[in-house]
Amino acid sequence: MEEYVLCVVNAAGGSSALERIRSITIPPGQWLRRPQLLLLFSMAGGPRPAGLPIPPGLLGPDPWSQGLGRLDEGFRRLFSGEPARAEAAFRQALDSFRSIGDRWGIANSLDRLAELAG
């Protein structure tokens, strides 16, 4: 259901899209069932400033979700012209993904770190 609501609200647009999506898809006290949908949340809500954290209640406390959140932060910092802070966020993401052995997350984190090193 989350995917459908995200796509519909994204197509409809509007400044309150993110809050509408959250109210429809996420019961109080729970998180996104599929944290990877953070990308669609970003599309629906528009880019957040680099220092603005992910809205509370979207990602759970598990290492994979937190790693995804650090990847998100790293991209926002990178696109905002803050390479040192982006690197720190990508390193945190790498640590989270390594702690659970997630090769997708490790590869994505290392790719971004290699891009910064280059």
Side-chain angles (χ1 to χ4, degrees):
M1 176 166 139
E2 292 170 341
E3 304 91 331
Y4 176 75
V5 172
L6 281 163
C7 290
V8 169
V9 175
N10 186 33
S15 60
S16 63
L18 198 57
E19 194 50 47
R20 284 188 307 184
I21 294 166
R22 185 181 304 138
S23 70
I24 294 169
T25 61
I26 306 172
Q30 294 187 16
W31 303 284
L32 281 170
R33 285 181 305 121
R34 295 184 178 96
Q36 64 272 28
L37 293 177
L38 181 62
L39 174 62
L40 288 177
F41 260 92
S42 296
M43 290 172 60
R48 295 181 319 282
L52 186 64
I54 294 169
L58 289 185
L59 298 178
D62 60 284
W64 194 88
S65 295
Q66 292 303 302
L68 183 67
R70 298 293 72 79
L71 271 179
D72 174 76
E73 178 185 353
F75 280 115
R76 288 184 291 113
R77 298 276 185 196
L78 185 62
F79 299 149
S80 294
E82 302 177 64
R85 293 178 108 179
E87 181 179 353
F90 291 136
R91 287 190 185 283
Q92 290 173 342
L94 178 61
D95 291 342
S96 289
F97 290 125
R98 277 188 171 156
S99 76
I100 56 172
D102 185 275
R103 293 183 300 178
W104 175 88
I106 292 169
N108 276 282
S109 301
L110 287 172
D111 187 40
R112 299 288 69 90
L113 288 167
E115 178 183 334
L116 284 168

